[in-house]
Amino acid sequence: MEHITKALKRMKDNNWDFMYLAIDVHGTMIKPTHHNDNKFEFYSNAEEVLQYISTREDIVMIMHTSSYPGYIDRLMGFLVDHNIYFDYVNENPNVESDHMADFSDKFYYDALIDDKAGFNPDTDWSKLMITLQSSDNE
């Protein structure tokens, strides 16, 4: 969880109000079914950690997914029913392009939670919780 620790430190060192956390869906927080249905099953500890992140005012959660809009709508309803609230889906309108970066094709985030980026959903949700809670105590 070193990348999360670094992102939180960068936020504090720069007096930023938020850390932008992009979170993948399938293979990361929800077990893939390979069907476009309403069968959503969290990985162990994912629900609890996502609920916790949803309560933090210093973290903006961005869903990072290639799912179709209808599926995303059903998933968002499921997540809200579980007290999990994403701020955005596949975008970050809070950070615009400037002289240093072009965000017209890629949205800005400080850290990424994705199985394809090395996140192991079977073990890393609990590690993420420890990392986040320890940052609260600093």
Side-chain angles (χ1 to χ4, degrees):
M1 296 293 107
E2 184 177 338
H3 70 294
I4 301 294
T5 302
K6 285 181 180 179
L8 289 165
K9 183 178 180 340
R10 230 180 8 257
M11 178 185 70
K12 289 177 184 176
D13 289 349
N14 290 298
N15 292 317
W16 295 340
D17 294 329
F18 308 106
M19 177 183 89
Y20 296 99
L21 183 60
I23 304 172
D24 177 50
V25 176
H26 298 98
T28 302
M29 67 175 175
I30 300 292
K31 294 180 181 181
T33 63
H34 305 287
H35 300 286
N36 188 7
D37 56 22
N38 293 337
K39 295 180 182 173
F40 305 116
E41 182 183 353
F42 288 109
Y43 281 95
S44 180
N45 298 315
E47 180 179 6
E48 173 189 8
V49 178
L50 291 166
Q51 288 169 341
Y52 171 73
I53 296 170
S54 292
T55 67
R56 289 189 56 148
E57 294 181 7
D58 63 340
I59 298 177
V60 174
M61 289 189 358
I62 304 169
M63 184 182 293
H64 189 256
T65 184
S66 59
S67 298
Y68 285 103
Y71 182 89
I72 293 170
D73 291 342
R74 293 190 306 273
L75 175 60
M76 291 296 268
F78 170 81
L79 294 171
V80 167
D81 288 346
H82 289 267
N83 298 311
I84 297 167
Y85 305 96
F86 278 83
D87 298 284
Y88 304 110
V89 177
N90 292 331
E91 68 172 347
N92 183 352
N94 295 343
V95 180
E96 298 178 356
S97 299
D98 61 18
H99 70 282
M100 294 193 46
D102 177 6
F103 295 113
S104 58
D105 289 326
K106 177 186 174 190
F107 65 87
Y108 176 84
Y109 57 83
D110 294 297
L112 173 67
I113 302 295
D114 191 329
D115 58 308
K116 291 174 182 68
F119 186 85
N120 181 337
D122 294 317
T123 59
D124 288 350
W125 284 109
S126 57
K127 293 175 187 177
L128 178 58
M129 181 67 105
I130 292 166
T131 299
L132 293 170
Q133 288 178 331
S134 69
S135 76
D136 284 345
N137 298 324
E138 292 179 356

